Amino acid sequence: KNQVEQSPQSLIILEGKNCTLQCNYTVSPFSNLRWYKQDTGRGPVSLTIMTFSENTKSNGRYTATLDADTKQSSLHITASQLSDSASYICVVSAGLRGGGATNKLIFGTGTLLAVQP
Amino acid sequence: EAQVTQNPRYLITVTGKKLTVTCSQNMNHEYMSWYRQDPGLGLRQIYYSMNVEVTDKGDVPEGYKVSRKEKRNFPLILESPSPNQTSLYFCASSLLGQPQHFGDGTRLSIL
């Protein structure tokens, strides 16, 4: 069964600190992995997308890593800010390596991050 | 500004009263999709469309209908809403194989 599991479910950190969120998946065949940020009351916004051949991708203070052998991904947030408080969702695309829209998207349930002053 | 627009943002209604949630995108995206988000369950796909007049069921299509008569619009129809359809709904669009752009959501309460 295709599944995406995220940990921790929730996390509280102090402003300025770093943190790492985890995503483990059992999805086959694997096409790509995406991280989204969802602010309260808003739709998810794409942070990164990584294909099988990519093992790291950055977007500002966000760095995602992918280990396709162990089927694990992490999202590292550097020097956290209050605006980083949100839910972070890992999404794995199952299907064609080209990532066509016929691929099935499997969503994790998210990690709720709270950054405190 | 590139965006996905959903209406209404909030709706409280009663069981059995037909409703439509509209979704419109201005990015000329082929792919559009509807999701519902419930606590502890994450986003679940209801229906998707790969282009005009092409729609297909997602994971939880029961009780919903969609149509794709124009590229920019993808309305979600609840013919006879029931309380178990109370949820937060998101519409999304993308170019084929690219990350999706999501709307800001529609919170439906069905009494």
Side-chain angles (χ1 to χ4, degrees), chain A residues 9 32 34 36 38 41-46 48-49 87 89 91 98-110, chain B residues 9-10 31 35 37 40-45 48 50 58-59 88 90 94-105:
Chain A
Q9 274 192 316
N32 59 65
R34 310 156 187 217
Y36 285 85
Q38 184 176 19
R42 305 298 298 274
V45 174
S46 177
T48 63
I49 178 170
S87 181
I89 303 170
V91 184
T102 53
N103 285 9
K104 176 70 175 172
L105 295 178
I106 298 99
F107 288 79
T109 55
Chain B
R9 292 291 313 280
Y10 305 90
Y31 185 85
Y35 300 88
Q37 187 174 36
L41 295 179
L43 283 154
R44 293 181 292 167
Q45 190 177 49
Y48 65 94
M50 290 176 59
D59 296 315
L88 178 58
F90 288 100
S94 71
L95 296 171
L96 297 182
Q98 295 301 307
Q100 294 178 64
H101 295 252
F102 285 82
D104 279 336

Side-chain angles (χ1 to χ4, degrees), chain A residues 70-85:
Chain A
T70 61
K71 298 186 177 183
Q72 295 180 326
S73 176
S74 64
L75 181 69
H76 186 75
I77 304 174
T78 304
S80 60
Q81 300 176 358
L82 298 178
S83 59
D84 293 330
S85 295

Side-chain angles (χ1 to χ4, degrees), chain A residues 16-96:
Chain A
K17 297 296 187 183
N18 304 335
C19 69
T20 300
L21 314 180
Q22 299 290 343
C23 173
N24 296 341
Y25 62 92
T26 53
V27 174
S28 183
F30 173 89
S31 177
N32 59 65
L33 186 145
R34 310 156 187 217
W35 282 95
Y36 285 85
K37 177 188 179 189
Q38 184 176 19
D39 293 315
T40 301
R42 305 298 298 274
V45 174
S46 177
L47 293 175
T48 63
I49 178 170
M50 289 182 291
T51 61
F52 183 85
S53 58
E54 296 173 298
N55 57 22
T56 187
K57 185 163 279 190
S58 292
N59 179 356
R61 293 179 297 102
Y62 300 102
T63 300
T65 64
L66 173 65
D67 186 333
D69 291 330
T70 61
K71 298 186 177 183
Q72 295 180 326
S73 176
S74 64
L75 181 69
H76 186 75
I77 304 174
T78 304
S80 60
Q81 300 176 358
L82 298 178
S83 59
D84 293 330
S85 295
S87 181
Y88 292 84
I89 303 170
C90 176
V91 184
V92 179
S93 174
L96 298 172

Side-chain angles (χ1 to χ4, degrees), chain B:
Chain B
E1 179 189 351
Q3 57 186 1
V4 177
T5 304
Q6 296 178 227
N7 280 297
R9 292 291 313 280
Y10 305 90
L11 179 63
I12 301 173
T13 187
V14 296
T15 299
K17 186 176 180 181
K18 180 180 177 180
L19 67 91
T20 299
V21 184
T22 63
C23 174
S24 180
Q25 51 94 4
N26 62 0
M27 295 167 279
N28 203 34
H29 287 165
E30 300 95 345
Y31 185 85
M32 297 187 75
S33 183
W34 275 104
Y35 300 88
R36 61 179 289 174
Q37 187 174 36
D38 301 291
L41 295 179
L43 283 154
R44 293 181 292 167
Q45 190 177 49
I46 304 170
Y47 269 95
Y48 65 94
S49 168
M50 290 176 59
N51 216 322
V52 175
E53 302 292 1
V54 180
T55 63
D56 211 342
K57 296 178 180 179
D59 296 315
V60 289
E62 295 78 18
Y64 304 94
K65 285 174 60 177
V66 293
S67 68
R68 188 91 182 271
K69 294 186 171 62
E70 306 164 281
K71 198 171 188 178
R72 63 183 292 127
N73 294 325
F74 191 44
L76 179 69
I77 303 155
L78 285 70
E79 293 270 5
S80 183
S82 62
N84 65 11
Q85 293 176 299
T86 292
S87 187
L88 178 58
Y89 291 85
F90 288 100
C91 180
S93 74
S94 71
L95 296 171
L96 297 182
Q98 295 301 307
Q100 294 178 64
H101 295 252
F102 285 82
D104 279 336
T106 295
R107 189 167 291 280
L108 283 182
S109 293
I110 299 163
L111 307 176

